PDB file of all heavy atoms in Angstrom:
ATOM      1  N   GLY A 259      -7.333 -13.031   2.011  1.00  0.00           N
ATOM      2  CA  GLY A 259      -8.292 -13.184   3.077  1.00  0.00           C
ATOM      3  C   GLY A 259      -8.752 -11.771   3.571  1.00  0.00           C
ATOM      4  O   GLY A 259      -7.929 -10.913   3.740  1.00  0.00           O
ATOM      5  N   ILE A 260     -10.029 -11.652   3.682  1.00  0.00           N
ATOM      6  CA  ILE A 260     -10.627 -10.342   4.154  1.00  0.00           C
ATOM      7  C   ILE A 260     -11.559 -10.608   5.288  1.00  0.00           C
ATOM      8  O   ILE A 260     -12.461 -11.469   5.216  1.00  0.00           O
ATOM      9  CB  ILE A 260     -11.412  -9.683   2.996  1.00  0.00           C
ATOM     10  CG1 ILE A 260     -10.485  -9.401   1.842  1.00  0.00           C
ATOM     11  CG2 ILE A 260     -12.066  -8.372   3.527  1.00  0.00           C
ATOM     12  CD1 ILE A 260     -11.237  -8.770   0.638  1.00  0.00           C
ATOM     13  N   THR A 261     -11.357  -9.975   6.409  1.00  0.00           N
ATOM     14  CA  THR A 261     -12.220 -10.030   7.572  1.00  0.00           C
ATOM     15  C   THR A 261     -12.459  -8.625   8.135  1.00  0.00           C
ATOM     16  O   THR A 261     -11.812  -7.662   7.684  1.00  0.00           O
ATOM     17  CB  THR A 261     -11.673 -10.947   8.677  1.00  0.00           C
ATOM     18  OG1 THR A 261     -10.448 -10.329   9.220  1.00  0.00           O
ATOM     19  CG2 THR A 261     -11.304 -12.316   8.140  1.00  0.00           C
ATOM     20  N   SER A 262     -13.314  -8.520   9.180  1.00  0.00           N
ATOM     21  CA  SER A 262     -13.486  -7.273   9.865  1.00  0.00           C
ATOM     22  C   SER A 262     -13.615  -7.556  11.396  1.00  0.00           C
ATOM     23  O   SER A 262     -14.051  -8.646  11.799  1.00  0.00           O
ATOM     24  CB  SER A 262     -14.691  -6.557   9.334  1.00  0.00           C
ATOM     25  OG  SER A 262     -15.865  -7.354   9.410  1.00  0.00           O
ATOM     26  N   ASP A 263     -13.178  -6.612  12.146  1.00  0.00           N
ATOM     27  CA  ASP A 263     -13.143  -6.779  13.606  1.00  0.00           C
ATOM     28  C   ASP A 263     -14.448  -6.477  14.363  1.00  0.00           C
ATOM     29  O   ASP A 263     -14.747  -7.153  15.294  1.00  0.00           O
ATOM     30  CB  ASP A 263     -12.096  -5.778  14.189  1.00  0.00           C
ATOM     31  CG  ASP A 263     -10.641  -6.193  13.910  1.00  0.00           C
ATOM     32  OD1 ASP A 263     -10.424  -7.376  13.478  1.00  0.00           O
ATOM     33  OD2 ASP A 263      -9.755  -5.337  14.081  1.00  0.00           O
ATOM     34  N   ALA A 264     -15.243  -5.512  13.850  1.00  0.00           N
ATOM     35  CA  ALA A 264     -16.406  -5.063  14.556  1.00  0.00           C
ATOM     36  C   ALA A 264     -16.044  -4.764  16.036  1.00  0.00           C
ATOM     37  O   ALA A 264     -16.764  -5.153  16.939  1.00  0.00           O
ATOM     38  CB  ALA A 264     -17.516  -6.078  14.454  1.00  0.00           C
ATOM     39  N   TYR A 265     -14.948  -4.066  16.198  1.00  0.00           N
ATOM     40  CA  TYR A 265     -14.459  -3.831  17.542  1.00  0.00           C
ATOM     41  C   TYR A 265     -14.402  -2.293  17.892  1.00  0.00           C
ATOM     42  O   TYR A 265     -14.936  -1.899  18.916  1.00  0.00           O
ATOM     43  CB  TYR A 265     -13.039  -4.365  17.670  1.00  0.00           C
ATOM     44  CG  TYR A 265     -12.283  -4.068  18.945  1.00  0.00           C
ATOM     45  CD1 TYR A 265     -12.604  -4.761  20.092  1.00  0.00           C
ATOM     46  CD2 TYR A 265     -11.349  -3.024  18.989  1.00  0.00           C
ATOM     47  CE1 TYR A 265     -11.934  -4.442  21.347  1.00  0.00           C
ATOM     48  CE2 TYR A 265     -10.656  -2.733  20.190  1.00  0.00           C
ATOM     49  CZ  TYR A 265     -10.996  -3.448  21.358  1.00  0.00           C
ATOM     50  OH  TYR A 265     -10.359  -3.104  22.514  1.00  0.00           O
ATOM     51  N   THR A 270      -7.214  -0.961  17.298  1.00  0.00           N
ATOM     52  CA  THR A 270      -6.998  -2.309  16.880  1.00  0.00           C
ATOM     53  C   THR A 270      -7.478  -3.270  17.986  1.00  0.00           C
ATOM     54  O   THR A 270      -7.335  -2.986  19.180  1.00  0.00           O
ATOM     55  CB  THR A 270      -5.486  -2.554  16.635  1.00  0.00           C
ATOM     56  OG1 THR A 270      -5.004  -1.598  15.668  1.00  0.00           O
ATOM     57  CG2 THR A 270      -5.196  -3.944  16.178  1.00  0.00           C
ATOM     58  N   ASP A 271      -8.100  -4.336  17.560  1.00  0.00           N
ATOM     59  CA  ASP A 271      -8.525  -5.384  18.532  1.00  0.00           C
ATOM     60  C   ASP A 271      -7.243  -6.004  19.140  1.00  0.00           C
ATOM     61  O   ASP A 271      -6.425  -6.623  18.362  1.00  0.00           O
ATOM     62  CB  ASP A 271      -9.288  -6.449  17.841  1.00  0.00           C
ATOM     63  CG  ASP A 271      -9.778  -7.501  18.801  1.00  0.00           C
ATOM     64  OD1 ASP A 271      -9.393  -7.571  19.962  1.00  0.00           O
ATOM     65  OD2 ASP A 271     -10.599  -8.434  18.326  1.00  0.00           O
ATOM     66  N   PRO A 272      -7.018  -5.825  20.446  1.00  0.00           N
ATOM     67  CA  PRO A 272      -5.723  -6.289  21.002  1.00  0.00           C
ATOM     68  C   PRO A 272      -5.578  -7.816  20.966  1.00  0.00           C
ATOM     69  O   PRO A 272      -4.434  -8.287  21.102  1.00  0.00           O
ATOM     70  CB  PRO A 272      -5.822  -5.758  22.453  1.00  0.00           C
ATOM     71  CG  PRO A 272      -7.271  -5.550  22.737  1.00  0.00           C
ATOM     72  CD  PRO A 272      -7.851  -5.116  21.438  1.00  0.00           C
ATOM     73  N   THR A 273      -6.678  -8.534  20.797  1.00  0.00           N
ATOM     74  CA  THR A 273      -6.548 -10.012  20.706  1.00  0.00           C
ATOM     75  C   THR A 273      -6.047 -10.472  19.378  1.00  0.00           C
ATOM     76  O   THR A 273      -5.620 -11.630  19.223  1.00  0.00           O
ATOM     77  CB  THR A 273      -7.916 -10.679  20.993  1.00  0.00           C
ATOM     78  OG1 THR A 273      -8.827 -10.471  19.922  1.00  0.00           O
ATOM     79  CG2 THR A 273      -8.545 -10.112  22.295  1.00  0.00           C
ATOM     80  N   GLY A 274      -6.128  -9.592  18.358  1.00  0.00           N
ATOM     81  CA  GLY A 274      -5.695  -9.984  17.014  1.00  0.00           C
ATOM     82  C   GLY A 274      -6.571 -10.982  16.354  1.00  0.00           C
ATOM     83  O   GLY A 274      -6.212 -11.579  15.321  1.00  0.00           O
ATOM     84  N   ALA A 275      -7.776 -11.231  16.849  1.00  0.00           N
ATOM     85  CA  ALA A 275      -8.678 -12.272  16.315  1.00  0.00           C
ATOM     86  C   ALA A 275      -9.011 -12.087  14.899  1.00  0.00           C
ATOM     87  O   ALA A 275      -8.915 -12.980  14.022  1.00  0.00           O
ATOM     88  CB  ALA A 275      -9.883 -12.399  17.190  1.00  0.00           C
ATOM     89  N   GLY A 276      -9.459 -10.878  14.530  1.00  0.00           N
ATOM     90  CA  GLY A 276      -9.869 -10.639  13.150  1.00  0.00           C
ATOM     91  C   GLY A 276      -8.736 -10.679  12.186  1.00  0.00           C
ATOM     92  O   GLY A 276      -8.838 -11.244  11.068  1.00  0.00           O
ATOM     93  N   ALA A 277      -7.580 -10.137  12.561  1.00  0.00           N
ATOM     94  CA  ALA A 277      -6.403 -10.174  11.698  1.00  0.00           C
ATOM     95  C   ALA A 277      -5.941 -11.634  11.488  1.00  0.00           C
ATOM     96  O   ALA A 277      -5.566 -12.047  10.394  1.00  0.00           O
ATOM     97  CB  ALA A 277      -5.283  -9.351  12.317  1.00  0.00           C
ATOM     98  N   ALA A 278      -5.973 -12.445  12.532  1.00  0.00           N
ATOM     99  CA  ALA A 278      -5.567 -13.787  12.415  1.00  0.00           C
ATOM    100  C   ALA A 278      -6.507 -14.567  11.498  1.00  0.00           C
ATOM    101  O   ALA A 278      -6.045 -15.445  10.698  1.00  0.00           O
ATOM    102  CB  ALA A 278      -5.600 -14.480  13.837  1.00  0.00           C
ATOM    103  N   ARG A 279      -7.833 -14.268  11.575  1.00  0.00           N
ATOM    104  CA  ARG A 279      -8.769 -14.896  10.678  1.00  0.00           C
ATOM    105  C   ARG A 279      -8.447 -14.574   9.211  1.00  0.00           C
ATOM    106  O   ARG A 279      -8.581 -15.377   8.315  1.00  0.00           O
ATOM    107  CB  ARG A 279     -10.198 -14.572  10.980  1.00  0.00           C
ATOM    108  CG  ARG A 279     -10.718 -15.214  12.246  1.00  0.00           C
ATOM    109  CD  ARG A 279     -12.220 -15.032  12.414  1.00  0.00           C
ATOM    110  NE  ARG A 279     -12.583 -13.667  12.708  1.00  0.00           N
ATOM    111  CZ  ARG A 279     -13.222 -12.848  11.884  1.00  0.00           C
ATOM    112  NH1 ARG A 279     -13.619 -13.316  10.671  1.00  0.00           N
ATOM    113  NH2 ARG A 279     -13.519 -11.638  12.229  1.00  0.00           N
ATOM    114  N   ALA A 280      -8.006 -13.309   8.942  1.00  0.00           N
ATOM    115  CA  ALA A 280      -7.686 -12.924   7.593  1.00  0.00           C
ATOM    116  C   ALA A 280      -6.440 -13.699   7.077  1.00  0.00           C
ATOM    117  O   ALA A 280      -6.421 -14.112   5.934  1.00  0.00           O
ATOM    118  CB  ALA A 280      -7.363 -11.417   7.575  1.00  0.00           C
ATOM    119  N   VAL A 281      -5.435 -13.855   7.979  1.00  0.00           N
ATOM    120  CA  VAL A 281      -4.286 -14.664   7.593  1.00  0.00           C
ATOM    121  C   VAL A 281      -4.652 -16.097   7.281  1.00  0.00           C
ATOM    122  O   VAL A 281      -4.228 -16.651   6.232  1.00  0.00           O
ATOM    123  CB  VAL A 281      -3.210 -14.597   8.708  1.00  0.00           C
ATOM    124  CG1 VAL A 281      -2.064 -15.575   8.417  1.00  0.00           C
ATOM    125  CG2 VAL A 281      -2.709 -13.169   8.866  1.00  0.00           C
ATOM    126  N   ARG A 282      -5.450 -16.688   8.108  1.00  0.00           N
ATOM    127  CA  ARG A 282      -5.839 -18.072   7.845  1.00  0.00           C
ATOM    128  C   ARG A 282      -6.677 -18.186   6.570  1.00  0.00           C
ATOM    129  O   ARG A 282      -6.526 -19.168   5.797  1.00  0.00           O
ATOM    130  CB  ARG A 282      -6.609 -18.646   9.052  1.00  0.00           C
ATOM    131  CG  ARG A 282      -5.770 -18.850  10.281  1.00  0.00           C
ATOM    132  CD  ARG A 282      -6.494 -19.701  11.317  1.00  0.00           C
ATOM    133  NE  ARG A 282      -7.595 -18.973  11.935  1.00  0.00           N
ATOM    134  CZ  ARG A 282      -7.581 -18.311  13.077  1.00  0.00           C
ATOM    135  NH1 ARG A 282      -6.422 -18.255  13.754  1.00  0.00           N
ATOM    136  NH2 ARG A 282      -8.622 -17.752  13.513  1.00  0.00           N
ATOM    137  N   ALA A 283      -7.555 -17.175   6.312  1.00  0.00           N
ATOM    138  CA  ALA A 283      -8.335 -17.188   5.128  1.00  0.00           C
ATOM    139  C   ALA A 283      -7.471 -17.060   3.832  1.00  0.00           C
ATOM    140  O   ALA A 283      -7.756 -17.719   2.846  1.00  0.00           O
ATOM    141  CB  ALA A 283      -9.360 -16.077   5.137  1.00  0.00           C
ATOM    142  N   SER A 311      -0.548  -5.879  18.608  1.00  0.00           N
ATOM    143  CA  SER A 311      -1.692  -6.688  18.238  1.00  0.00           C
ATOM    144  C   SER A 311      -1.424  -7.481  16.981  1.00  0.00           C
ATOM    145  O   SER A 311      -1.934  -8.623  16.795  1.00  0.00           O
ATOM    146  CB  SER A 311      -2.928  -5.838  18.057  1.00  0.00           C
ATOM    147  OG  SER A 311      -2.847  -4.957  16.992  1.00  0.00           O
ATOM    148  N   ALA A 315      -1.601 -11.509  16.535  1.00  0.00           N
ATOM    149  CA  ALA A 315      -2.443 -12.103  15.491  1.00  0.00           C
ATOM    150  C   ALA A 315      -1.631 -13.105  14.716  1.00  0.00           C
ATOM    151  O   ALA A 315      -2.127 -14.181  14.327  1.00  0.00           O
ATOM    152  CB  ALA A 315      -2.971 -11.021  14.583  1.00  0.00           C
ATOM    153  N   ARG A 318      -1.104 -16.188  16.630  1.00  0.00           N
ATOM    154  CA  ARG A 318      -2.414 -16.862  16.731  1.00  0.00           C
ATOM    155  C   ARG A 318      -2.764 -17.643  15.439  1.00  0.00           C
ATOM    156  O   ARG A 318      -3.339 -18.673  15.491  1.00  0.00           O
ATOM    157  CB  ARG A 318      -3.517 -15.795  17.000  1.00  0.00           C
ATOM    158  CG  ARG A 318      -4.882 -16.339  17.292  1.00  0.00           C
ATOM    159  CD  ARG A 318      -5.777 -15.206  17.885  1.00  0.00           C
ATOM    160  NE  ARG A 318      -7.097 -15.706  18.232  1.00  0.00           N
ATOM    161  CZ  ARG A 318      -7.915 -15.117  19.045  1.00  0.00           C
ATOM    162  NH1 ARG A 318      -7.555 -13.947  19.622  1.00  0.00           N
ATOM    163  NH2 ARG A 318      -9.076 -15.622  19.305  1.00  0.00           N
ATOM    164  N   ALA A 319      -2.401 -17.023  14.295  1.00  0.00           N
ATOM    165  CA  ALA A 319      -2.730 -17.650  13.040  1.00  0.00           C
ATOM    166  C   ALA A 319      -1.766 -18.748  12.616  1.00  0.00           C
ATOM    167  O   ALA A 319      -2.184 -19.782  12.061  1.00  0.00           O
ATOM    168  CB  ALA A 319      -2.750 -16.567  11.946  1.00  0.00           C
ATOM    169  N   ASN A 394       0.303  -8.024   4.961  1.00  0.00           N
ATOM    170  CA  ASN A 394      -0.818  -7.671   5.843  1.00  0.00           C
ATOM    171  C   ASN A 394      -1.195  -6.199   5.706  1.00  0.00           C
ATOM    172  O   ASN A 394      -0.287  -5.347   5.598  1.00  0.00           O
ATOM    173  CB  ASN A 394      -0.525  -7.933   7.269  1.00  0.00           C
ATOM    174  CG  ASN A 394      -0.536  -9.372   7.653  1.00  0.00           C
ATOM    175  OD1 ASN A 394      -1.136 -10.198   6.951  1.00  0.00           O
ATOM    176  ND2 ASN A 394       0.090  -9.745   8.760  1.00  0.00           N
ATOM    177  N   SER A 395      -2.503  -5.955   5.743  1.00  0.00           N
ATOM    178  CA  SER A 395      -3.005  -4.559   5.832  1.00  0.00           C
ATOM    179  C   SER A 395      -4.198  -4.469   6.707  1.00  0.00           C
ATOM    180  O   SER A 395      -5.158  -5.324   6.552  1.00  0.00           O
ATOM    181  CB  SER A 395      -3.405  -4.054   4.405  1.00  0.00           C
ATOM    182  OG  SER A 395      -2.231  -3.975   3.567  1.00  0.00           O
ATOM    183  N   PHE A 396      -4.204  -3.449   7.616  1.00  0.00           N
ATOM    184  CA  PHE A 396      -5.317  -3.306   8.473  1.00  0.00           C
ATOM    185  C   PHE A 396      -5.693  -1.799   8.443  1.00  0.00           C
ATOM    186  O   PHE A 396      -4.873  -0.945   8.310  1.00  0.00           O
ATOM    187  CB  PHE A 396      -4.979  -3.712   9.924  1.00  0.00           C
ATOM    188  CG  PHE A 396      -4.309  -5.047  10.010  1.00  0.00           C
ATOM    189  CD1 PHE A 396      -3.075  -5.181  10.566  1.00  0.00           C
ATOM    190  CD2 PHE A 396      -4.864  -6.132   9.464  1.00  0.00           C
ATOM    191  CE1 PHE A 396      -2.380  -6.401  10.612  1.00  0.00           C
ATOM    192  CE2 PHE A 396      -4.260  -7.394   9.510  1.00  0.00           C
ATOM    193  CZ  PHE A 396      -3.018  -7.518  10.143  1.00  0.00           C
ATOM    194  N   GLY A 400     -11.888  -1.366  11.212  1.00  0.00           N
ATOM    195  CA  GLY A 400     -11.781  -2.795  11.549  1.00  0.00           C
ATOM    196  C   GLY A 400     -11.517  -3.642  10.317  1.00  0.00           C
ATOM    197  O   GLY A 400     -11.790  -4.806  10.333  1.00  0.00           O
ATOM    198  N   HIS A 401     -10.961  -3.071   9.213  1.00  0.00           N
ATOM    199  CA  HIS A 401     -10.694  -3.833   8.001  1.00  0.00           C
ATOM    200  C   HIS A 401      -9.383  -4.625   8.150  1.00  0.00           C
ATOM    201  O   HIS A 401      -8.386  -4.102   8.574  1.00  0.00           O
ATOM    202  CB  HIS A 401     -10.594  -2.863   6.856  1.00  0.00           C
ATOM    203  CG  HIS A 401     -11.784  -2.036   6.596  1.00  0.00           C
ATOM    204  ND1 HIS A 401     -12.869  -2.465   5.905  1.00  0.00           N
ATOM    205  CD2 HIS A 401     -12.054  -0.726   6.957  1.00  0.00           C
ATOM    206  CE1 HIS A 401     -13.796  -1.485   5.836  1.00  0.00           C
ATOM    207  NE2 HIS A 401     -13.310  -0.461   6.483  1.00  0.00           N
ATOM    208  N   ASN A 402      -9.446  -5.906   7.766  1.00  0.00           N
ATOM    209  CA  ASN A 402      -8.276  -6.741   7.781  1.00  0.00           C
ATOM    210  C   ASN A 402      -8.132  -7.381   6.447  1.00  0.00           C
ATOM    211  O   ASN A 402      -9.061  -8.053   5.964  1.00  0.00           O
ATOM    212  CB  ASN A 402      -8.362  -7.803   8.862  1.00  0.00           C
ATOM    213  CG  ASN A 402      -8.670  -7.270  10.226  1.00  0.00           C
ATOM    214  OD1 ASN A 402      -7.963  -6.420  10.706  1.00  0.00           O
ATOM    215  ND2 ASN A 402      -9.745  -7.722  10.840  1.00  0.00           N
ATOM    216  N   VAL A 403      -6.933  -7.290   5.811  1.00  0.00           N
ATOM    217  CA  VAL A 403      -6.738  -7.979   4.530  1.00  0.00           C
ATOM    218  C   VAL A 403      -5.325  -8.600   4.543  1.00  0.00           C
ATOM    219  O   VAL A 403      -4.348  -7.963   4.993  1.00  0.00           O
ATOM    220  CB  VAL A 403      -6.807  -6.982   3.313  1.00  0.00           C
ATOM    221  CG1 VAL A 403      -6.572  -7.686   2.029  1.00  0.00           C
ATOM    222  CG2 VAL A 403      -8.101  -6.247   3.286  1.00  0.00           C
ATOM    223  N   CYS A 404      -5.260  -9.831   4.097  1.00  0.00           N
ATOM    224  CA  CYS A 404      -3.973 -10.533   3.960  1.00  0.00           C
ATOM    225  C   CYS A 404      -3.875 -11.066   2.542  1.00  0.00           C
ATOM    226  O   CYS A 404      -4.819 -11.704   2.101  1.00  0.00           O
ATOM    227  CB  CYS A 404      -3.849 -11.645   5.022  1.00  0.00           C
ATOM    228  SG  CYS A 404      -2.314 -12.601   4.922  1.00  0.00           S
TER     229      CYS A 404
END
Side-chain angles (χ1 to χ4, degrees):
I260 300 176
T261 66
S262 53
D263 287 345
Y265 174 78
T270 303
D271 181 353
T273 71
R279 286 190 292 111
V281 172
R282 289 194 293 264
S311 66
R318 187 167 182 160
N394 284 340
S395 296
F396 313 123
H401 302 278
N402 306 305
V403 181
C404 179

